[in-house]
Amino acid sequence: KRNETVKPVKRSPPKFSPKALRGNTSGFSVILFDLDDAGKTINHRILASWPPEIHEKTSVAAVEEWEYTPRQASEGDADRQNIITTIRYDLADGDGNPIY
């Protein structure tokens, strides 16, 4: 179980890439990252993404802007490493129906 003192303080949503918008492409990216002592995200790695080569860059760009709580004395390195998140990109038509 991860130390509960590690909490997000800023999580900006990702932008849709022009390629995704042109192709009306929903999808997702799963990203693994670490936190430095100040709470900045570092060492971003894409674990999975669908469709390939559509959402990776915008997902990493969003996670690079995120901030978490600074390191506390009670936290070990394991509390700030290998954090996994999934970013979903859901497009909908004019009636609110999902576009895949």
Side-chain angles (χ1 to χ4, degrees):
K1 181 179 175 186
R2 188 170 306 284
N3 185 323
E4 294 185 13
T5 61
V6 177
K7 296 183 179 171
V9 294
K10 177 186 171 194
R11 289 187 81 175
S12 304
K15 295 181 171 84
F16 270 90
S17 72
K19 187 187 273 187
L21 290 173
R22 277 193 309 274
N24 286 330
T25 307
S26 294
F28 68 90
S29 289
V30 180
I31 303 176
L32 177 75
F33 60 93
D34 303 324
L35 299 174
D36 68 13
D37 289 345
K40 300 285 187 185
T41 64
I42 56 173
N43 303 325
H44 315 91
R45 285 100 62 205
I46 297 287
L47 297 179
S49 195
W50 182 88
E53 300 181 20
I54 299 290
H55 301 292
E56 289 95 333
K57 287 181 183 178
T58 56
S59 295
V60 169
V63 172
E64 286 176 339
E65 298 295 318
W66 293 0
E67 296 175 15
Y68 284 73
T69 51
R71 183 186 291 267
Q72 310 234 340
S74 62
E75 293 174 5
D77 288 343
D79 295 312
R80 304 184 73 79
Q81 295 174 344
N82 300 318
I83 298 168
I84 298 173
T85 192
T86 300
I87 297 177
R88 297 189 57 81
Y89 295 84
D90 295 318
L91 285 173
D93 65 17
D95 295 323
N97 300 310
I99 298 172
Y100 298 103

